[in-house]
Amino acid sequence: MAAENERTPEAEADEPPEFRNTALSDALQTQDLAAVAFALRHGPTVVPLAPPATAGSDTDGVWTYRDSNTGDVALLLFSDAAHKPASLPSEMALNTPGWLRAFLRLHEDEIATVFFDVAGPHPMQASPAALIAALDA
């Protein structure tokens, strides 16, 4: 029998996942794309999901921002779900490291930019091509 303060595998399996990538949060402080890519290669990607009514969109259920003036599409990624602005959809996904590379390659022609922690505390922006190159380095 486990002691009261010990965690059992069953108890850990029942806990919801943490929607954060601490290494990404640290890397965003440096504003260094190589450090950001390293954090993304070794940790999860936190991304907002489109509401069910729009989940059949051209970005596979991932919520993207489309600028109404230019039509440009931005992918918003977060180091922590707590940094997501309240105006974005509430549902979030915690994707594997390989997911982002595959997603960007699939949608590189439609996504104009990738924003990290767009509302702070350390926002950063990169082109899909630059991010793919950094992930592949």
Side-chain angles (χ1 to χ4, degrees), residues 32-60:
D32 177 10
L33 188 56
V36 167
F38 182 85
L40 291 168
R41 280 194 303 270
H42 299 285
T45 301
V46 180
V47 61
L49 296 177
T54 60
S57 72
D58 43 330
T59 51
D60 303 326

Side-chain angles (χ1 to χ4, degrees), residues 61-128:
V62 171
W63 186 87
T64 54
Y65 171 79
R66 182 176 301 273
D67 186 306
S68 59
N69 295 322
T70 64
D72 288 346
V73 174
L75 174 64
L76 278 60
L77 303 176
F78 297 92
S79 62
D80 190 318
H83 298 154
K84 179 191 70 65
S87 60
L88 299 185
S90 60
E91 293 296 316
M92 301 290 283
L94 194 60
N95 292 312
T96 63
W99 172 87
L100 181 59
R101 181 184 289 115
F103 184 85
L104 286 173
R105 283 210 172 119
L106 183 63
H107 299 288
E108 184 175 5
D109 292 338
E110 32 187 309
I111 296 173
T113 193
V114 179
F115 281 108
F116 298 92
D117 288 353
V118 67
H122 304 285
M124 187 172 165
Q125 182 178 357
S127 71

Side-chain angles (χ1 to χ4, degrees), residues 22-32 35-36 117 121-124:
T22 305
L24 178 58
S25 182
D26 294 343
L28 288 171
Q29 291 181 47
T30 69
Q31 296 291 294
D32 177 10
V36 167
D117 288 353
H122 304 285
M124 187 172 165

